[in-house]
Structure formats: structure tokens, C-alpha cells
Amino acid sequence: MKITLVNPPPRNEYEKHWARFPVLGLAYVASALRAKGHDVSVLDGKLAGLTSEAIIQRIRMQAPDLVGITCMTVEFPQAKHIAEQVRRSGSMPIVLGGAHVNAVGARVLEECAAVDFACIGEGEHLVCELAHALARAQSVAEVPGLAYRVSGEVRTTAPREYHNDYDSLPFPAWDLFNVGEQIPLLTHRGCPFECNFCGHNSGFKPRYRSSENVLAEIEHVIARFAPSVIRIEDETFGLNLPRTKQILEGILSRGFAGKVRFSAQTRVDRLDAEFVALLKTCGFETLEVGVESGDEGVLKRMGKGIDLRQVERAVQLAKGAQLSVWCKFILGHPYETREALRNTCNFIARLNPDRLSVSIMTPFPGTPIYDMAVRGEGGYRLLSSDWENFDKYGTGALELQDVSLGTLKAYQVACYLMLYLQNRRLLDLARLVLGHQSLVLETLRSLGRSVLAGHRNRVIAPRKVVAAPATLSNVAMPDPTLIRLRQRAATAESDQVLVPTSGRQLRTWSAPGSA
């Protein structure tokens, strides 16, 4: 088949800022389809600088046999617009996938009549099986993880199991993308931790590639694309430390450290002196850590499983190894008070990270925060049901009863100002402002709009979230809470990982023969 894959264009200055490297999921799907003999092209609205209208026009010119569109929650309106315009110009089937579809399931077909199929779960094998069925005019009813239409009725097939052999997947098809200086790489999927703001798009069970397969991809990427930085996209790099150290030792033994720099994200409770020293020796320059809050009580309630003392120790270790530390925070946790927000501002200034990201809590579907928001729990007021407003840096869809969205955004700005001013990093502040003028202006405009809106915000009435039936035939996907419970019930043993439970005790996951 002739297949066109689409990544929607950036909606605003924030998305332009973050859209600096290609989408891993789309690249994996492209390589899997190509390995099956399909003719694949990619229209990446972000990296190629394509508008929605340009993407629509190119699809019309290419006239593919199948169009695939990926989207995050905030991108769904754009994906819907592209699908609707493509549908007007022909009868080519359209399939939607990505994090948003994984969260809401068949609901996307109900919200967009132009979409024929929704891929729920990992897409590499799913899309190949869908393309195989369509090419032979066969029924798709036996393709697991699919939502589809029959005579206008939305149906879903059986849930799709996760892969058990990631080494068998071809490397991402970066030659189809306008790759720049940074290329992402994934060494494992799944996260066993229970942060209440996370939708666990890749599931709870950690599933690993072999260290040899990871090193082979690094060698391939360096030889073929010569990036300046390989950005490891694992949710927690170092989740299984023995295996991670095998990868790092391979980077050293194969001489990759002198050819490319690396960055990764991890948890503060995974870092020790030996680990950060090895990272530095291997050519890692940036380490990202999710801190989320500078208030001890807020950290305990969110289920993150860390404390501020661990954060300070991890940052000190990383800085001591001369790694650049990028700390990430969220404002607007359940029942968060102005005092807790001030504690976060003060903690950031004291921590003094090299880089900082502060976002506003967004109730993404599939998360406990979403469930709380639609019920009106956690002190939350849901301000919008429009997916386009589910933007953690821009518009915003959520506020607290005692802390308005405008106030949250004011604290967001204050976090950055306190970091640079209290640590006398005036030159860094000037570089930030001058280097990102459009982003700074958009932030100030967003703050002004939210402050002016104030009490005029239209609040969405709380509603009861009811779990869907246990069967998956002829219905939309289950309630996100039920999905999480099923995932956890199906989670088998993985490599040794200490996982904090809600009671803050640690349970051990272990698998026979695990590294």
C-alpha cells in the first residue's frame, strides 16, 4: 500500500519551542510498515514547517491508500481538521493513533466522523496488520487494539498485548524525517511508578530492549545521521541499573562518547555517585529529573515516591559530576495552596538547576487527575472540555477553587524569575529572554488573558465518572481508571525494580534471568 503518516503542525509558540526533534512513535510505525513492503512517506508538520493546509494539499497530491495521523490530546482538534479535509477530497481510509487515542480509545471515532480507525496501544504491529487487511479487502475485526466502524456503528476489537521482543523491530525510519541535531532513542517502554498526573501511555510493566540492540542503534544513528546529541527518551533511564550500566559500558568500549553527546531523563532516587560519574564519562551532558513540587506534603500526596532531600542530593551529585541539570515542576496539584506554591518557588531558587521547566497541571485523559477533575474532586474546577485547551504551558483547562488559573500562571512566571534573580544569574535570564522572545511574549499574553478572565471563567459542572462494561465489543474503551486496573492486573514480573506503592512501602519486581 501507499501510506502517508502525519504529525500535526505546532499550534503556538510553545509547541514550536518543544518541537525540535522527530516523533519516535511515528518513526517506529514508518519503519515497521516499510519493512513489510509498503511505500511510506511522512508529513511532519513540526520539523518540516508544514501548515495544516499544506499537509492536506500534499495528501491530496500523493493520493495514498491509507492516511495515518498521530496526536497528543491537545493536538486532537488539528488532527480532526486534517482528517475532515482529507475526507472531503476522497474516500481513502484514515487511521488515528498516538497518546490521545491510547487514553480515550474509541471515543475519537465518536468525536470525528472522518476517522475510520483508531489504533489503541502500540502501533508497529497493529498498523501493519491493519494495512495487510485493507490491502486484501479483509475484515479488520480480528486485529487486536483497533476501533472501527460498521454501518456507522463504532466497534472495538480485543485489547492488544504489549510486544515481548523489541529487538525484532526495525530501527526508527529517521531518513523519512527532517532530523536535526538531536535524535531520540528509546531503550525500554513502560513505567511502574504511580504518579497521579501520568497516563502511562506505554503501560506499567517495564519492557526492555537488549543492551546489544540499543548499542547497535546508537552505532547506526551515528554512522547514518551524525547527530550532535542522542536524546534517550526512557521515562526513567536507569530503571534497571545493571542493564543501564551495560549500555553505558558499551558506549565507552565502542568509542561512541567521543562521537556524540547524550542526554537522558531519570528519577532522583535512581542516582548515585557511581551512576552520575559513569554518565559523565560516557558523554552525557544533560540530565532531566521530574521533581514536580517543592512542597513536601504535595509530593507525598501525588504518589511520586520521592522527597525533597533526595532531590537536593541528586542535583548535587549531578552538578558535582559537571552534568547540566534540568529540573521539571508542575503547579496545580490536588488541594495545592498558595503556601505550597510559594514553597515550590523558594525550593527552585535554592536548588538552582541549570535549566527549568514549570508547567500548569493539565487533566489529561487516562490519568487520576482527569478523573478527579471531572468529578470536581481535589479542589479542582474544570474550565474547559475542549481538547485544544488541554495545554500545560498555554491556555489551560484546570484551576483550583482557591487558586485561579491566572494565579497559577503568575506563580509559573515567578518560579523562573526567582531562580535567576535570587541566584544572580542575570546573564542567563537575559539569554533566556532574548533567545526566546516570541515564547516569552506568548507567556505574558497567556498570563494576561487568564488574569483578566478571572471569575468569568465558565466552569464545567462536575460529573460522575462511571466505569464502562468489562467487555470491549461494540462499545467505547473503558473508563481510564478501569484501563489502569486491567494493566496492573496483567503486569507480570519485570527486571528488578523497587516500586513505591500508595502506602509508600516498596515492593520488588523481579524476573528469572533478568539482568
Side-chain angles (χ1 to χ4, degrees):
M1 297 186 78
K2 185 178 180 180
I3 301 173
T4 299
L5 302 178
V6 176
N7 183 26
R11 299 164 40 255
N12 52 35
E13 294 299 329
Y14 299 104
E15 289 188 6
K16 290 179 183 177
H17 174 71
W18 295 114
R20 298 181 178 180
F21 45 87
V23 180
L24 259 170
L26 207 62
Y28 267 116
V29 168
S31 63
L33 286 168
R34 194 164 59 179
K36 293 295 184 180
H38 299 287
D39 179 8
V40 183
S41 63
V42 174
L43 298 176
D44 190 330
K46 295 181 176 65
L47 288 183
L50 299 174
T51 64
S52 292
E53 300 312 314
I55 290 172
I56 294 164
Q57 184 61 31
R58 292 198 185 190
I59 292 173
R60 289 170 176 165
M61 292 173 60
Q62 293 175 0
D65 302 307
L66 176 65
V67 176
I69 308 174
T70 187
C71 67
M72 305 290 283
T73 292
V74 74
E75 297 171 323
F76 173 70
Q78 276 191 305
K80 178 181 178 182
H81 171 70
I82 293 171
E84 289 171 343
Q85 295 304 311
V86 169
R87 172 62 67 238
R88 290 182 181 180
S89 61
S91 59
M92 64 191 77
I94 301 172
V95 56
L96 199 65
H100 183 64
V101 180
N102 287 343
V104 304
R107 177 175 173 178
V108 296
L109 298 187
E110 299 168 358
E111 294 185 350
C112 183
V115 174
D116 303 288
F117 306 99
C119 288
I120 307 164
E122 292 179 313
E124 294 93 347
H125 294 305
L126 199 165
V127 175
C128 287
E129 292 169 21
L130 172 63
H132 179 87
L134 293 177
R136 289 158 180 75
Q138 298 173 348
S139 170
V140 299
E142 300 303 317
V143 178
L146 195 67
Y148 63 103
R149 302 181 195 276
V150 176
S151 301
E153 179 184 13
V154 176
R155 299 185 181 181
T156 57
T157 62
R160 174 166 289 270
E161 299 295 328
Y162 289 121
H163 301 332
N164 55 16
D165 181 15
Y166 290 102
D167 286 7
S168 66
L169 293 176
F171 297 149
W174 296 132
D175 57 297
L176 298 179
F177 293 77
N178 184 23
V179 295
E181 295 184 353
Q182 295 189 45
I183 291 183
L185 181 145
L186 198 64
T187 84
H188 82 269
R189 304 184 189 186
C191 177
F193 300 100
E194 301 177 5
C195 301
N196 59 11
F197 50 82
C198 180
H200 283 84
N201 180 54
S202 297
F204 286 95
K205 178 185 176 182
R207 306 174 306 283
Y208 299 95
R209 298 168 59 188
S210 69
S211 57
E212 281 300 314
N213 185 248
V214 172
L215 292 167
E217 182 180 352
I218 293 174
E219 185 170 18
H220 164 74
V221 166
I222 292 173
R224 180 76 185 274
F225 304 103
S228 299
V229 177
I230 291 179
R231 179 185 170 96
I232 296 179
E233 288 290 292
D234 297 4
E235 292 181 85
T236 303
F237 188 59
L239 185 62
N240 182 316
L241 281 174
R243 170 186 169 275
T244 304
K245 289 179 179 179
Q246 286 180 354
I247 294 173
L248 296 175
E249 288 165 358
I251 288 174
L252 281 177
S253 65
R254 301 188 187 196
F256 298 153
K259 299 176 181 178
V260 68
R261 302 189 305 277
F262 296 89
S263 71
Q265 57 186 1
T266 190
R267 288 171 55 94
V268 298
D269 56 2
R270 308 308 296 168
L271 296 178
D272 58 26
E274 179 187 1
F275 186 27
V276 295
L278 186 55
L279 289 172
K280 182 63 178 179
T281 304
C282 289
F284 281 71
E285 62 175 6
T286 302
L287 198 60
E288 304 173 25
V289 291
V291 182
E292 321 312 350
S293 176
D295 182 87
E296 201 74 72
V298 171
L299 273 182
K300 289 179 180 178
R301 288 195 299 270
M302 78 175 65
K304 181 77 174 180
I306 62 172
D307 57 44
L308 298 182
R309 182 174 51 83
Q310 289 175 307
V311 174
E312 291 180 299
R313 177 179 177 273
V315 170
Q316 289 172 358
L317 283 172
K319 284 188 172 185
Q322 296 183 318
L323 291 169
S324 176
V325 183
W326 183 353
C327 290
K328 301 181 177 182
F329 290 80
I330 301 173
L331 305 182
H333 296 277
Y335 302 110
E336 193 163 21
T337 63
R338 292 170 187 260
E339 180 183 2
L341 292 166
R342 287 193 293 271
N343 287 341
T344 294
C345 289
N346 292 327
F347 183 72
I348 289 172
R350 186 168 77 249
L351 202 61
N352 194 19
D354 299 287
R355 294 186 62 183
L356 175 67
S357 292
V358 181
S359 62
I360 304 298
M361 179 66 76
T362 303
F364 292 116
T367 67
I369 291 293
Y370 175 83
D371 297 344
M372 295 176 71
V374 297
R375 291 188 179 107
E377 299 172 352
Y380 281 137
R381 291 158 48 96
L382 189 59
L383 301 176
S384 176
S385 58
D386 185 345
W387 296 129
E388 193 167 10
N389 290 324
F390 282 57
D391 185 339
K392 58 186 179 180
Y393 293 104
T395 49
L398 193 66
E399 68 181 10
L400 292 156
Q401 292 176 2
D402 298 325
V403 186
S404 70
L405 178 59
T407 301
L408 287 172
K409 290 186 177 182
Y411 275 104
Q412 182 185 36
V413 173
C415 287
Y416 289 93
L417 291 176
M418 289 179 66
L419 167 64
Y420 293 111
L421 295 179
Q422 290 196 15
N423 291 289
R424 299 181 179 180
R425 293 169 56 184
L426 300 182
L427 185 57
D428 288 342
L429 178 59
R431 287 171 177 162
L432 176 68
V433 173
L434 294 176
H436 303 88
Q437 292 182 44
S438 57
L439 188 64
V440 172
L441 289 173
E442 180 62 29
T443 299
L444 295 177
R445 283 195 293 266
S446 175
L447 170 61
R449 286 192 297 266
S450 297
V451 170
L452 289 174
H455 65 276
R456 295 195 301 275
N457 279 330
R458 176 178 175 270
V459 178
I460 305 299
R463 63 180 176 85
K464 185 178 181 181
V465 178
V466 181
T471 60
L472 290 179
S473 59
N474 304 324
V475 296
M477 285 296 288
D479 174 84
T481 302
L482 183 56
I483 294 175
R484 287 194 299 276
L485 291 175
R486 287 186 182 181
Q487 288 174 327
R488 188 162 297 287
T491 298
E493 292 89 5
S494 69
D495 296 323
Q496 290 190 356
V497 178
L498 293 180
V499 185
T501 65
S502 56
R504 294 185 60 77
Q505 296 177 340
L506 294 177
R507 66 176 182 271
T508 301
W509 302 76
S510 60
S514 60

